[in-house]
Amino acid sequence: MDWLFSWYYRIKRWFVKRGLIKALEAEKIEAEFAEEFLKILLNLMSLSFIIDKEYREYIKGFTGIIQFRSKDNEIRVLAIFNNGNLIAKELKPNEVLVKKPNVSVVFKDPIALINFLLPKGGKRDILRSLLNNEVILKGNLNYIYRFGFLANHLQLEQNFPIPKFLYKN
Amino acid sequence: MDVIKDINLNSLPRLERLREIHFNTKPEICVEIAKLLTDFMKKKGIKPEDGISEKMASERLKYILENKKALIDDLSLLAGTTTTKIKGVPIYPQFMGQAIWPELETISIRKKNPFGITKEKINVLNQDVFPYWMDGTIQEVCRKDYNNPKSLQIMERIVFFLASKAHAISHTIPDYERVVKEGLSGILKEMEGKTGDFYTAARLAIDGVSAYAQNLSQEAENLAKNTADSQRKEELLNISRICKKVPREKSETLQEALQAIWICHIALHQEHTNIALSLGRLDKMLSPFYKQGKEKEAIELLGCFFLKLADHVPMNAETGEELFGGSGSNQAITIGGITEDGNDGVNEMTYLILKTIELLKVRDPNLNARYNPDKNPREYLKRLCRVNINTRATPCFHNDIPVIEALVKQGYSLEDARDYAIVGCVEPIAPGKTFGHTGAILLNLTACLEMALFSGKHRLTEDEQFGPKTKEPKEIKSFDEFLNVFKEQTIFLIEQSVLINNSLGKTHLKVNPLPFLSTLTDGCIEKGMDVLEASAKYNSSGVAIIGLSEVVDSLCAIKEFVFDKRNISFETLIDAINKNWDGYEVLRQKILNSGNKFGTQSREAFDMTQEIICLLHNEYQKRENYRGGRYVVGYWTMTIHAGLGVLTSALPSGRKNKEVLPSGITPVSGSALELLDVLHFVAGLSHDKIANGHALNLKFTPGENMLDNFTATIEGYMKKGGMQVQCNIIDKKTLEEAKEHPEKFPPLLVRVSGYTAYFQDLNPYMQDEIIKRQEYGLVI
């Protein structure tokens, strides 16, 4: 079956590579990159749900909204789960949400966001991010735990190559 | 009882083998409770967030117990298991089970304390169980019902305080004495003629427990039929007979009594997470069943029981291991002390329990020895000390006199206070009569100091204003003024911790009533109410304070150097700690070498400690818990002092960034070099204001002839009024080697701050904390 999905893996790798090369070139993660990266990850996740039946099963019946936002509110991206689908939505400045998110992940800076989304070795530990004060969670923690599983699964499957400098802090 | 001296593990091959299995088995995640619980809720169409009635909670428990696998292992003399694994990690989705959701696919390969899990179990949790409880955990229902209160938001920043009800409420002791004396039929008899939901629920719960016992009986019979080994066949038939009888009927033999307790303990596990669900005064309870001359048989049965208690491990997410890692379920058993009528309570069973613990050297159960200097024989104390030397870490010593006084001041009758037993780490309650949740709140006292130094902010949470905006240090003119600021911030956190504990308590009643625990707690049947309401004879909530000696040393340093001697300005001190003492090493050394430290002869440090103890006691006692009971304060820290230390920046005591905080009521390592000073200091504190117990951790260099001096030291400390002490008898070098090469050592039992753990299982911070603990010599 691998041949059938090879194009899909290629697209995924392309997405990741694109983001990482940008980061490596910058030597410093800028806010725009974090936003871009977040969207890439969510789109990648979304794509995986479409293509991968088993992965899609993981969100069967799951309805919920997770907001990722920077402390200064400059970056705001929503992950909208709706019974087997995921839509990533970027919010405009001052855009008012009709439906409140179930949980908001407020990240201190772009590196904190990357650490949270793609932790070293795929070892996702939300408590660690909280303890380091890298992120603040506002709302139902179980939505984040669930998202954590989904992101972790994706990361493990694809063996994401994370540049070392992301961990210097 | 001289004969027990000659008993060793070689002469008890069953225990030797069971112990081997215990140590060689890696914990595995078990989804049995999670699955049965969720299946029941789905079948009944109950949304967890809507809550559940007492009766429905009982039906749920009965369903779980009826459908739980009846398992009997190949060797043990006791039937039943808490999980389906040899060493299981049960998952409770109504509490904090979801915390391992993100790491389900990596938990089996994590570095510290990995848990085995199969793909099938991952799918059950990920797709079947966890999604159902997304909005129905205690913490999330509380958040919704109380509109995400500020107190919950503060708690979720972890560094200020933790209210553990979202995770567990089981820091208590059920009335197992009644179970063995009367059987559950005694409880049913008390309920005869009583009507109402509570009583229906209680009867259903007992029916569920009986059904599980009958399933075990049947399983034992089936196994006996298929066993060729005649001895095992006989044992299995005996197990079958026993499970047919107990816990429903009263026990008549030691094996029946232990089996009855064990089945009830398993049943309580199905109702609730086990975090420090403790067993009470086991020697008192089991003594009537001991038959002269049957020491070996008794030890074998006790050994089987203790290894059963260790058949499960609490679930911890990876970073949770840093805060609480290495702990078992911390089920305390208590021995010795005096009886309700004030006489010597040490009996033959006391020595048999000690011997069993000495042979097994397992972390669970956590052995707590009561000692009454006026009533118990000195030989008993000497035996306790010998066991401590031989096991390196257990038992922990409690002095009856101050403990009983403290409980009487909390409203206990003298008889009930004399009958106290220890919960979890070091907390005394009246077994079966108190519903105490002794580990309800863990307050980080260094966070109060931080907030006093930074006008209500904490350096970890940076510019967020949590506490009241008090004066900045540069505006403060006297130490008294600063002390008032410290008190204001402390009172703020006390208030917040109480608010969230009370909200979580009410939520707990809504989401997870405890019908079976209620039947095993005095007062509930009489009042016809759940134990989570104001129904137990004694209702209290326990608080544990973290970082006392660090805060005392810091306050003393501020007083001495900023206000008394005026060596430096407050701003300079703040600058020094903000820079982690870089550029201020001379000042730091001056502070470190000051005589005003917790655990020394310093009057100032002693008075400061007393003042803080009074403040915490008075402020917590002023506030009622959700059951109309009092908050009682204690000083024990499990491993959380290591975890919180990593989150805490440099302090005025001379402490540097991220250093572990001192454990329990122990001086900061290296600051109190004289053992006698430490013992005098702690023994002199107002123990009536420490009714939730304290953990004084001491480390002694082992030596061949240390027994007499060790016994004299403990005796002297107790006669001076010392409330509790626990000792590691192990040197720094051994610990360092065990940290470096864990594989070269057998599991090393160590006292952490209340409970015992295997050194190799602890996180590196905690290992370092134990290595660095001040080591005292006792050999002349």
Side-chain angles (χ1 to χ4, degrees):
Chain A
M1 288 288 278
D2 276 359
W3 62 269
L4 192 64
F5 292 112
S6 61
W7 63 272
Y8 155 65
Y9 293 128
R10 275 205 296 275
I11 291 171
K12 283 214 269 195
R13 282 199 197 98
W14 177 80
F15 267 112
V16 176
K17 210 173 150 193
R18 186 172 157 245
L20 293 179
I21 286 170
K22 246 182 146 180
L24 285 164
E25 280 170 0
E27 276 288 321
K28 195 176 138 198
I29 300 182
E30 301 294 344
E32 303 81 59
F33 171 71
E35 192 168 6
E36 186 75 4
F37 192 86
L38 182 56
K39 280 190 285 177
I40 290 170
L41 184 83
L42 294 177
N43 283 324
L44 181 59
M45 206 180 238
S46 175
L47 188 63
S48 301
F49 287 127
I50 294 164
I51 295 161
D52 188 334
K53 195 182 165 208
E54 191 190 342
Y55 195 47
R56 191 162 63 246
E57 280 292 303
Y58 294 167
I59 56 166
K60 195 177 162 190
F62 178 32
T63 302
I65 301 172
I66 300 173
Q67 178 182 212
F68 296 89
R69 72 165 175 86
S70 57
K71 243 178 164 179
D72 58 8
N73 243 352
E74 282 290 306
I75 303 171
R76 288 196 302 159
V77 177
L78 295 182
I80 305 166
F81 289 91
N82 188 11
N83 191 20
N85 288 310
L86 166 65
I87 298 163
K89 187 187 174 203
E90 190 183 345
L91 291 173
K92 293 185 186 95
N94 306 320
E95 187 175 343
V96 180
L97 291 176
V98 180
K99 202 178 169 198
K100 268 177 75 179
N102 298 86
V103 66
S104 290
V105 180
V106 184
F107 50 90
K108 192 168 131 185
D109 54 40
I111 288 186
L113 176 69
I114 309 272
N115 279 341
F116 182 74
L117 294 171
L118 294 172
K120 196 176 184 179
K123 288 177 187 171
R124 190 168 311 278
D125 191 339
I126 287 156
L127 187 55
R128 164 54 59 211
S129 299
L130 289 173
L131 289 174
N132 290 345
N133 202 38
E134 290 175 347
V135 299
I136 301 166
L137 301 179
K138 293 188 172 177
N140 188 328
L141 303 186
N142 294 328
Y143 285 76
I144 280 300
Y145 293 143
R146 187 169 199 169
F147 181 83
F149 177 86
L150 296 169
N152 207 21
H153 181 82
L154 199 64
Q155 188 179 349
L156 287 170
E157 281 239 313
Q158 294 310 306
N159 195 19
F160 273 26
I162 307 301
K164 279 182 186 165
F165 80 91
L166 286 179
Y167 302 121
K168 66 187 172 189
N169 288 343
Chain B
M1 296 295 277
D2 274 357
V3 67
I4 67 171
K5 278 183 194 160
D6 302 325
I7 298 174
N8 56 39
L9 273 183
N10 291 336
S11 63
L12 294 162
R14 185 196 311 271
L15 281 194
E16 191 176 28
R17 180 71 191 119
L18 284 171
R19 184 177 181 274
E20 213 175 274
I21 292 170
H22 169 77
F23 281 115
N24 292 332
T25 305
K26 297 279 171 232
E28 282 180 83
I29 286 181
C30 171
V31 300
E32 186 183 54
I33 301 173
K35 181 88 173 73
L36 288 171
L37 181 74
T38 309
D39 285 350
F40 177 87
M41 300 289 279
K42 284 182 180 174
K43 271 183 201 162
K44 294 283 178 184
I46 306 167
K47 279 186 182 172
E49 55 271 35
D50 293 341
I52 186 168
S53 69
E54 186 88 22
K55 187 167 163 278
M56 195 54 82
S58 248
E59 276 183 32
R60 185 170 77 181
L61 176 66
K62 186 166 174 272
Y63 172 83
I64 293 170
L65 286 164
E66 282 172 344
N67 290 286
K68 177 177 172 51
K69 271 189 188 164
L71 293 172
I72 297 166
D73 62 55
D74 293 342
L75 282 170
S76 185
L77 294 170
L78 298 174
T81 52
T82 55
T83 71
T84 59
K85 311 292 176 193
I86 296 171
K87 204 188 272 177
V89 185
I91 304 295
Y92 296 85
Q94 72 273 50
F95 298 106
M96 303 281 282
Q98 280 86 334
I100 58 154
W101 203 344
E103 54 175 315
L104 278 179
E105 292 183 304
T106 50
I107 202 162
S108 59
I109 51 164
R110 72 182 187 189
K111 256 191 192 165
K112 209 52 161 172
N113 301 333
F115 299 145
I117 188 165
T118 61
K119 174 81 181 155
E120 184 202 345
K121 302 285 184 279
I122 292 173
N123 286 342
V124 167
L125 293 174
N126 179 44
Q127 287 166 265
D128 190 11
V129 174
F130 289 161
Y132 195 72
W133 294 87
M134 292 279 283
D135 300 312
T137 55
I138 303 268
Q139 189 156 330
E140 296 312 329
V141 175
C142 178
R143 190 191 311 281
K144 195 176 166 205
D145 287 359
Y146 293 88
N147 198 20
N148 200 14
K150 185 178 179 181
S151 53
L152 179 60
Q153 292 177 46
I154 296 176
M155 182 183 88
E156 285 176 343
R157 308 308 290 275
I158 298 159
V159 76
F160 300 100
F161 58 79
L162 295 172
S164 66
K165 274 191 178 60
H167 190 58
I169 204 167
S170 54
H171 266 75
T172 194
I173 306 174
D175 195 353
Y176 288 145
E177 194 168 349
R178 187 172 189 191
V179 170
V180 297
K181 270 188 182 165
E182 298 177 32
L184 298 176
S185 59
I187 296 168
L188 288 170
K189 205 172 166 194
E190 192 191 338
M191 293 193 290
E192 267 173 19
K194 295 187 188 236
T195 53
D197 279 358
F198 173 82
Y199 299 106
T200 309
R203 287 184 193 102
L204 278 169
I206 289 175
D207 284 351
V209 179
S210 300
Y212 178 60
Q214 294 312 308
N215 289 346
L216 287 173
S217 171
Q218 188 59 54
E219 176 66 7
E221 200 178 309
N222 295 344
L223 288 171
K225 277 181 199 158
N226 300 318
T227 306
D229 180 336
S230 59
Q231 190 197 330
R232 186 61 184 158
K233 187 186 277 283
E234 203 180 304
E235 285 170 4
L236 286 165
L237 289 173
N238 192 38
I239 290 172
S240 174
R241 180 195 62 75
I242 290 171
C243 292
K244 209 168 264 178
K245 178 181 171 185
V246 298
R248 191 134 185 139
E249 302 305 326
K250 71 172 187 180
S251 304
E252 290 169 294
T253 65
L254 182 59
Q255 190 170 352
E256 286 178 5
L258 290 169
Q259 183 69 69
I261 297 170
W262 180 232
I263 289 176
C264 289
H265 208 61
I266 291 172
L268 289 168
H269 275 72
Q270 314 311 305
E271 185 170 76
H272 196 277
T273 333
N274 176 14
I275 303 290
L277 182 64
S278 299
L279 292 117
R281 302 183 73 179
L282 214 55
D283 53 350
K284 181 191 164 210
M285 219 183 303
L286 298 178
S287 176
F289 305 106
Y290 170 67
K291 284 187 179 154
Q292 290 290 336
K294 298 280 184 188
E295 295 85 0
K296 206 170 152 185
E297 289 83 345
I299 289 172
E300 191 172 46
L301 280 167
L302 286 167
C304 286
F305 181 61
F306 293 163
L307 288 163
K308 280 282 178 196
L309 288 171
D311 82 345
H312 62 284
V313 173
M315 185 280 290
N316 261 329
E318 188 156 23
T319 304
E321 285 289 335
E322 281 182 22
L323 295 175
F324 301 105
S327 169
S329 286
N330 203 12
Q331 305 155 100
I333 55 173
T334 305
I335 55 168
I338 57 170
T339 56
E340 287 108 310
D341 54 10
N343 292 314
D344 176 20
V346 173
N347 57 41
E348 283 161 318
M349 190 52 74
T350 315
Y351 290 101
L352 290 167
I353 290 170
L354 275 167
K355 180 71 186 184
T356 314
I357 291 287
E358 191 177 31
L359 290 174
L360 294 179
K361 295 184 181 70
V362 285
R363 68 180 172 190
D364 239 340
N366 173 15
L367 182 63
N368 289 266
R370 289 175 48 176
Y371 179 66
N372 187 306
D374 298 336
K375 302 282 181 175
N376 293 144
R378 193 172 190 277
E379 272 313 298
Y380 162 63
L381 179 64
K382 200 167 179 181
R383 178 72 184 120
L384 296 178
C385 291
R386 186 182 286 283
V387 174
N388 195 159
I389 292 167
N390 290 345
T391 60
R392 295 193 176 102
T394 199
C396 126
F397 304 83
H398 298 265
N399 184 356
D400 270 5
I401 296 169
V403 173
I404 291 168
E405 276 174 16
L407 292 177
V408 168
K409 283 206 172 170
Q410 288 301 314
Y412 283 67
S413 72
L414 183 60
E415 288 72 25
D416 288 345
R418 281 173 175 162
D419 196 34
Y420 80 89
I422 298 301
V423 180
C425 292
V426 292
E427 310 95 271
I429 65 163
K433 296 188 172 77
T434 311
F435 184 63
H437 191 207
T438 59
I441 294 170
L442 308 168
L443 179 77
N444 180 7
L445 199 63
T446 68
C448 306
L449 178 67
E450 274 271 337
M451 288 161 74
L453 292 168
F454 297 97
S455 307
K457 294 178 182 174
H458 193 290
R459 279 172 286 176
L460 181 77
T461 48
E462 297 170 352
D463 53 352
E464 288 175 84
Q465 185 77 41
F466 283 104
K469 196 167 170 21
T470 43
K471 274 185 181 176
E472 285 185 29
K474 64 182 176 192
E475 300 167 319
I476 294 173
K477 303 289 176 230
S478 70
F479 179 72
D480 283 348
E481 203 181 336
F482 178 69
L483 196 59
N484 285 334
V485 168
F486 169 73
K487 286 178 181 174
E488 192 179 341
Q489 297 293 352
T490 305
I491 291 167
F492 169 78
L493 284 186
I494 288 173
E495 179 64 20
Q496 295 301 316
S497 66
V498 165
L499 281 172
I500 190 58
N501 181 61
N502 288 352
S503 305
L504 285 168
K506 287 175 196 160
T507 309
H508 206 296
L509 179 64
K510 174 182 170 181
V511 175
N512 204 83
L514 301 169
F516 189 48
L517 183 61
S518 301
T519 67
L520 299 182
T521 307
D522 192 12
C524 300
I525 293 172
E526 193 191 325
K527 291 176 189 147
M529 288 195 297
D530 192 277
V531 72
L532 292 166
E533 297 175 83
S535 56
K537 185 171 181 184
Y538 302 108
N539 275 295
S540 53
S541 292
V543 181
I545 305 294
I546 294 124
L548 175 69
S549 55
E550 195 71 62
V551 169
V552 168
D553 290 359
S554 289
L555 290 173
C556 285
I558 293 167
K559 184 172 187 301
E560 180 181 348
F561 292 92
V562 177
F563 294 105
D564 291 351
K565 292 183 183 164
R566 298 194 178 274
N567 292 30
I568 45 162
S569 68
F570 217 150
E571 289 151 285
T572 308
L573 184 62
I574 298 291
D575 190 51
I577 60 171
N578 278 339
K579 289 179 175 156
N580 195 22
W581 299 99
D582 280 353
Y584 290 96
E585 193 51 34
V586 175
L587 173 64
R588 181 170 172 263
Q589 287 306 323
K590 264 189 194 170
I591 291 174
L592 288 175
N593 292 319
S594 154
N596 287 327
K597 301 282 182 206
F598 182 101
T600 65
Q601 290 183 13
S602 164
R603 189 72 224 173
E604 197 141 81
F606 184 81
D607 291 345
M608 191 76 79
T609 308
Q610 289 281 65
E611 186 157 0
I612 294 173
I613 286 174
C614 279
L615 167 75
L616 293 163
H617 171 80
N618 293 340
E619 289 300 326
Y620 269 114
Q621 290 260 301
K622 270 184 203 168
R623 291 161 171 84
E624 266 191 3
N625 70 13
Y626 61 100
R627 288 171 275 120
R630 294 182 188 178
Y631 280 91
V632 286
V633 178
Y635 297 83
W636 43 272
T637 55
M638 300 184 282
T639 54
I640 198 171
H641 58 284
L644 288 177
V646 179
L647 306 180
T648 306
S649 304
L651 292 173
S653 58
R655 177 188 174 280
K656 286 196 157 184
N657 282 349
K658 300 191 176 197
E659 284 179 1
V660 291
L661 297 171
S663 65
I665 203 157
T666 314
V668 173
S669 185
S671 67
L673 302 177
E674 297 299 327
L675 174 63
L676 279 181
D677 290 346
V678 176
L679 295 174
H680 276 283
F681 192 101
V682 179
L685 297 172
S686 301
H687 295 117
D688 59 332
K689 296 179 175 61
I690 308 180
N692 201 33
H694 74 55
L696 171 62
N697 292 292
L698 296 178
K699 190 167 77 174
F700 292 110
T701 314
E704 277 181 23
N705 304 313
M706 70 182 298
L707 179 62
D708 287 341
N709 284 348
F710 184 38
T711 310
T713 303
I714 302 294
E715 188 180 31
Y717 169 68
M718 296 247 173
K719 284 188 171 166
K720 190 83 190 152
M723 190 184 209
Q724 182 276 358
V725 63
Q726 52 193 24
C727 310
N728 281 305
I729 318 283
I730 191 163
D731 59 46
K732 192 178 172 189
K733 198 174 163 224
T734 309
L735 291 169
E736 281 173 341
E737 281 174 16
K739 187 185 176 197
E740 193 70 24
H741 303 288
E743 71 289 349
K744 289 186 183 168
F745 289 81
L748 286 180
L749 203 61
V750 286
R751 273 274 156 194
V752 181
S753 180
Y755 64 78
T756 42
Y758 302 123
F759 183 74
Q760 288 94 326
D761 285 356
L762 296 171
N763 66 67
Y765 310 116
M766 196 54 238
Q767 287 181 329
D768 287 342
E769 192 270 314
I770 293 179
I771 290 169
K772 281 181 195 161
R773 277 182 194 174
Q774 183 67 43
E775 191 172 319
Y776 300 100
L778 279 172
V779 185
I780 297 168

